[in-house]
Amino acid sequence: MPTGFRKDFRTVAIIGGGPAGSATAIALLRALQSSHRPVTGERFNVRIYADPPKGTFRVGESLPPAASGVLRALGLEHVTGPQAPHLACAGTSSLWGNNEPGHNDFMLDTMGQGYHLDREFFDVQLLSEALKAGAELFQDWHLVGAQELYDGAALDFRTGKGERHTVHADFVVDASGHASAFARRIGVARNTLDEVLFLCAFADIPPGDSMTGRTMVEAVSDGWWYAARLPGNKAILTFCTDRQTARQRGYKEPDHWLGALGRTRWLRHQLPPTFTETAATLHMRAAPSTLLSAVTGSSWLAVGDAASSFDPVSSAGITKALIAATKAGPAIASWLAEGHRKNLHAYADHVLRDFADYARVRAELYSSERRFRDQGFWLRRLGLDGQVKVGVHNRRSTGTAASPPSIS
Ligand SMILES: Cc1cc2nc3c(=O)[nH]c(=O)nc-3n(C[C@H](O)[C@H](O)[C@H](O)COP(=O)(O)OP(=O)(O)OC[C@H]3O[C@@H](n4cnc5c(N)ncnc54)[C@H](O)[C@@H]3O)c2cc1C
């Protein structure tokens, strides 16, 4: 019999201990506690199977003011409080669609403060909040196989010690980021709208050097640059381009990357000189815009990047994951404890609508930069390069079919 199968408990297995997995555990445990009409009187295990990336830096550090509201809703406002290491961010300055920088001040935002996170620390904070709420952690358990069953799913894991375990779960939450580790293993198609490439470098800001706490963005002919001050007197500088442009121009080579930085009009003047000294180490990350063909099934749902992933130009990935978690948790609870599926359907509608809104805003944003509209990078973002934009990567679709909106 698979391990983890106890008749007096029903098990919810959450795959992934990132923001989506931790926040869903918190929202689910709270909803189960406040569930007034249990059909079965059963008790629940909420287990997080986490296999965080090791020996590499974590990207995704900008938290817009909109996140403050959802952190409050989850009872987690203290994670960005004065005791936490994260840096307040006053807003964004960007050279986008214009030769002069424009400014967006977060001070005027009614939702609250924006932040530049210590991302690794933030993820650990959320995970420890999930454990405090009652979740169990299976650290370094990596999902390697999955099968849907009439009463849940059988999950195969490989542990950090090289052991193999098969576990029965009554309900599975796929929170494994854009790996969509569970959904893809049961054959759910993942639709790709677009993919950009991030070439990032980190720098120390030595005492005496200054750098604004605002996020800085500059659009250029081959993509756009992004710079942010990070906690611990560090900073990140990123060139967002795409694979075709990176290949043509050799941007994966630090010299060419630096050459492109040297051609920025404004950004290069805003950076401490140490940036150019540390640029020998370039980190590469793909950032696809994707949507699963189905985000819920008979005994599973996908949340966060596992369900849909956004271009970081939106700065919305973490916020989107947290908001979805506040809806996913109660939806799972009402299905498991009360036998209602309608909240799972409402959750799926939310993810699809959210992706449609994102695709529209993304298209507006990229088309608002008209100075480089004849360049390959910008044409490809708008689907005007003659290539088909939407790819489907998998064997079959299950559940509610949904096509991502096309960009006009
Ligand atoms: C280059 C880049 C820049 C970004 N910048 C920003 C930003 O500034 N602001 C912002 O809000 N968002 C940003 N994002 C997006 C943001 O990082 C994601 O939206 C966010 O991390 C989603 O959280 P998640 O919990 O869904 O997924 P993740 O944070 O990816 O967590 C998923 C977890 O599941 C684990 N996992 C994967 N496969 C398995 C498996 N088989 N078994 C067990 N565990 C598994 C992973 O190791 C990981 O720990 C950026 C993304 C990229 C690529």
Side-chain angles (χ1 to χ4, degrees), residues 12 14 18-35 44 46-48 70-76 126-135 171 173 301 303 320-338 343 347:
V12 179
I14 298 180
S22 300
T24 303
I26 293 166
L28 169 60
L29 283 155
R30 298 223 174 107
L32 285 170
Q33 277 157 15
S34 61
S35 177
F44 297 92
V46 175
R47 296 180 165 170
I48 300 177
V70 65
L71 284 173
R72 264 196 303 278
L74 285 160
L76 297 177
L126 296 194
L127 188 56
S128 64
E129 292 293 334
L131 303 188
K132 272 193 234 162
F171 198 92
V173 175
L301 65 70
V303 66
K320 175 254 300 171
L322 298 177
I323 292 171
T326 64
K327 296 174 190 299
I332 301 164
S334 70
W335 165 235
L336 289 176
E338 298 167 1
N343 292 343
Y347 169 76

Side-chain angles (χ1 to χ4, degrees), residues 15-22 49-53 58-64 119 123 141-144 157 175-182 185 198 200 226 238 285-288 303-306 308-312 315-321:
I15 315 298
S22 300
Y49 295 92
D51 188 24
R58 266 182 234 179
V59 287
E61 62 296 312
S62 284
L63 205 60
R119 179 60 199 272
D123 285 9
W141 281 49
H142 192 88
L143 185 79
V144 291
F157 290 96
S176 61
H178 60 72
S180 302
F182 175 79
R185 280 185 172 83
F198 268 50
C200 326
Y226 161 94
T238 297
R285 291 286 181 279
V303 66
D305 278 15
S308 65
S309 60
F310 293 0
D311 184 327
S315 279
I318 300 169
T319 313
K320 175 254 300 171

Side-chain angles (χ1 to χ4, degrees), residues 98-109:
N98 204 313
N99 287 334
E100 295 301 321
H103 305 285
N104 174 19
D105 288 324
F106 292 164
M107 269 179 334
L108 309 173
D109 201 303

Side-chain angles (χ1 to χ4, degrees), residues 147-353:
Q147 196 189 346
E148 277 185 294
L149 304 173
Y150 74 96
D151 63 345
L155 305 173
D156 296 324
F157 290 96
R158 192 185 56 237
T159 71
K161 293 178 185 156
E163 296 159 355
R164 296 291 287 257
H165 294 278
T166 299
V167 167
H168 177 271
D170 297 277
F171 198 92
V172 179
V173 175
D174 189 344
S176 61
H178 60 72
S180 302
F182 175 79
R184 292 175 83 148
R185 280 185 172 83
I186 61 163
V188 180
R190 192 176 154 98
N191 305 290
T192 303
L193 174 67
D194 191 20
E195 182 178 280
V196 290
L197 195 65
F198 268 50
L199 297 166
C200 326
F202 288 87
D204 291 322
I205 306 175
D209 267 6
S210 65
M211 181 176 163
T212 175
R214 302 174 73 85
T215 303
M216 294 181 284
V217 177
E218 178 171 343
V220 295
S221 58
D222 284 340
W224 49 273
W225 287 87
Y226 161 94
R229 188 176 186 126
L230 300 176
N233 283 329
K234 295 194 180 308
I236 182 171
L237 177 63
T238 297
F239 185 29
C240 172
T241 184
D242 61 14
R243 286 187 194 279
Q244 294 93 322
T245 310
R247 201 170 37 244
Q248 282 161 11
R249 308 268 204 262
Y251 286 139
K252 292 178 195 169
E253 296 300 321
D255 284 352
H256 292 172
W257 183 90
L258 276 175
L261 175 63
R263 291 191 291 279
T264 57
R265 293 174 73 95
W266 165 78
L267 186 67
R268 66 192 160 108
H269 301 298
Q270 317 303 316
L271 304 171
T274 42
F275 262 119
T276 49
E277 289 161 26
T278 55
T281 312
L282 276 186
H283 306 271
M284 193 170 80
R285 291 286 181 279
S289 295
T290 59
L291 174 65
L292 281 186
S293 290
V295 295
T296 63
S298 58
S299 54
W300 65 273
L301 65 70
V303 66
D305 278 15
S308 65
S309 60
F310 293 0
D311 184 327
V313 75
S314 67
S315 279
I318 300 169
T319 313
K320 175 254 300 171
L322 298 177
I323 292 171
T326 64
K327 296 174 190 299
I332 301 164
S334 70
W335 165 235
L336 289 176
E338 298 167 1
H340 296 153
R341 276 199 78 79
K342 72 175 188 331
N343 292 343
L344 287 174
H345 297 312
Y347 169 76
D349 286 347
H350 161 79
V351 175
L352 301 187
R353 267 200 314 275

